[in-house]
Amino acid sequence: MNSQSLILQLISVSLLLSVPLVSPALQPAPGCPTKCGNVDVPFPFGTRPDCSLDDSFHVICNTSFNPPILYDRDAPEEALEILEISLDGQMKVGSLMAYGCFDKKWLPMDYQLYAPKFVISATRNKFVAVGCDTYAFIEGSEEKNYFTGCTAMCDKIDRVENGTCSGIGCCQMSFPKGVKGFRLSVHTYGNHTLVKDFNNCGYAFVIEQGSYHFSSSDLMGLRKRINDYFPVGLDWSVGNLTCEEAQKNDSSAYACRAINSECYNPSNGIGYNCKCLPGFQGNPYLVNGCRGTN
Ligand SMILES: *[C@@H]1O[C@H](CO)[C@@H](O)[C@H](O)[C@H]1NC(C)=O
Ligand SMILES: *[C@@H]1O[C@H](CO)[C@@H](O)[C@H](O)[C@H]1NC(C)=O
Ligand SMILES: *[C@@H]1O[C@H](CO)[C@@H](O)[C@H](O)[C@H]1NC(C)=O
Ligand SMILES: *[C@@H]1O[C@H](CO)[C@@H](O)[C@H](O)[C@H]1NC(C)=O
Ligand SMILES: *[C@@H]1O[C@H](CO)[C@@H](O)[C@H](O)[C@H]1NC(C)=O
């Protein structure tokens, strides 16, 4: 074999190795970061345009914080901090609360959260209001008309039952499907005048079910947490076609890339999700993502 044909052979081998099996946009570029600070960023999510499946999965890792902070979009004022992403179509973001306090006068502070690319989980979140002279509203923002609220009252602190949120000092409501954002507001009937010794503020927040256990100490104590994040569960899915449509009409854009993967339609929101077949685990969105477990 002369050197020319050896070179040709080497070139063709390297070409073979470098030809991707699928359109490159559907797989992350080599060397894509898979973490931002302490948060895993699995594909289809990516912190660079060539690392995410499409725009809706392009998330922002801001490394000027230590540890770096992951945001859902490039909009510093409104972006949501992502606390966790999991491959089962769920994620968690940080949300603040709305509150109102009567010090010398009634000073309410509303709170609004909007997740344009995702949908707020209808099954994993609760709307909660805490107070003894409090009613609070939640209103769907953008997309969907939705407006409701609940009232939390109590006359004596020893009537309040720890761990029970059913109207005495705390009320809660479940969350509807298809909501991408909400606005919270807190109101009072009588300025907390009759309960001010143990409760001078009302609070309202959305929080992942099971992450909040009401306690009488919150009637005063939640005021210290007005800058704290409450975890809110979001659902994510790919595109706006169902599994059947996506498989049928544009299979080159079909995101369930792993050989041992399958598609399913989410119960909340549009688009589809992928999962590894039983007996396999890993990332169904990557070509060789689903591996046998035995
Ligand atoms: C990161 O956060 C800082 C401080 O809020 C901000 O000034 C900067 O623009 C952000 N960088 C990116 C890439 O978003
Ligand atoms: C609540 O306080 C405001 C002043 O901030 C006052 O105008 C209003 O009458 C009070 N309402 C009640 C029911 O006490
Ligand atoms: C409820 O919990 C708070 C804080 O943990 C505690 O101070 C209070 O005594 C508890 N109340 C009852 C009735 O157990
Ligand atoms: C579905 O997604 C495509 C591509 O992102 C977009 O062009 C189209 O307008 C969307 N269709 C609907 C009905 O939302
Ligand atoms: C997929 O099919 C739907 C309905 O059958 C059609 O409206 C849409 O344009 C198709 N999309 C692509 C990318 O072929």
Side-chain angles (χ1 to χ4, degrees):
M1 190 179 350
N2 63 27
S3 64
Q4 214 170 10
S5 80
L6 180 66
I7 287 170
L8 276 177
Q9 215 168 10
L10 282 175
I11 288 173
S12 60
V13 165
S14 68
L15 273 180
L16 254 177
L17 290 176
S18 67
V19 169
L21 293 168
V22 293
S23 129
L26 286 169
Q27 293 288 283
C32 282
T34 55
K35 263 192 174 277
C36 173
N38 304 319
V39 184
D40 285 323
V41 185
F43 188 76
F45 290 83
T47 55
R48 296 196 321 241
D50 61 345
C51 290
S52 62
L53 179 67
D54 62 37
D55 258 9
S56 64
F57 296 109
H58 180 207
V59 288
I60 306 295
C61 186
N62 192 325
T63 51
S64 51
F65 300 97
N66 185 16
I69 296 180
L70 187 65
Y71 291 102
D72 71 324
R73 60 195 189 273
D74 191 6
E77 297 296 311
E78 305 121 57
L80 302 174
E81 182 172 336
I82 298 177
L83 309 174
E84 192 180 314
I85 297 174
S86 52
L87 279 168
D88 58 1
Q90 305 186 357
M91 61 198 284
K92 285 181 200 179
V93 295
S95 167
L96 298 174
M97 62 170 142
Y99 58 95
C101 293
F102 192 84
D103 291 320
K104 287 200 174 73
K105 57 181 184 169
W106 175 246
L107 271 180
M109 190 66 84
D110 291 0
Y111 177 70
Q112 185 165 348
L113 177 149
Y114 180 46
K117 303 193 288 188
F118 309 108
V119 53
I120 297 166
S121 169
T123 53
R124 303 197 306 284
N125 297 302
K126 288 269 186 207
F127 163 63
V128 179
V130 172
C132 285
D133 180 6
T134 298
Y135 62 101
F137 294 126
I138 179 166
E139 190 177 350
S141 68
E142 328 284 332
E143 318 288 315
K144 186 148 179 168
N145 285 331
Y146 157 56
F147 188 78
T148 188
C150 70
T151 291
M153 303 290 283
C154 71
D155 51 3
K156 294 199 177 72
I157 189 130
D158 53 19
R159 296 265 164 83
V160 166
E161 213 176 302
N162 287 345
T164 302
C165 186
S166 48
I168 305 171
C170 180
C171 64
Q172 62 181 4
M173 299 188 73
S174 55
F175 220 85
K177 283 186 174 185
V179 175
K180 284 174 167 292
F182 54 78
R183 170 182 276 278
L184 305 174
S185 63
V186 174
H187 310 265
T188 178
Y189 294 102
N191 291 333
H192 290 256
T193 311
L194 300 175
V195 296
K196 62 178 183 302
D197 292 343
F198 52 91
N199 176 241
N200 64 343
C201 302
Y203 317 89
F205 47 90
V206 172
I207 192 164
E208 234 183 4
Q209 220 157 350
S211 303
Y212 178 67
H213 302 282
F214 171 64
S215 147
S216 60
S217 58
D218 291 342
L219 292 169
M220 278 299 189
L222 276 181
R223 193 170 188 172
K224 293 197 287 281
R225 300 188 55 194
I226 55 176
N227 294 315
D228 287 3
Y229 277 143
F230 291 74
V232 169
L234 307 185
D235 294 326
W236 60 265
S237 55
V238 175
N240 53 18
L241 302 177
T242 63
C243 286
E244 295 70 32
E245 290 164 351
Q247 277 158 327
K248 196 162 48 193
N249 71 353
D250 189 6
S251 59
S252 71
Y254 181 52
C256 304
R257 284 287 154 187
I259 295 162
N260 295 298
S261 69
E262 64 184 344
C263 189
Y264 65 98
N265 294 316
S267 60
N268 189 18
I270 55 170
Y272 62 93
N273 292 84
C274 312
K275 65 177 178 196
C276 293
L277 290 172
F280 295 85
Q281 63 183 24
N283 187 336
Y285 300 91
L286 295 173
V287 169
N288 293 311
C290 293
R291 307 252 158 109
T293 49
N294 42 352

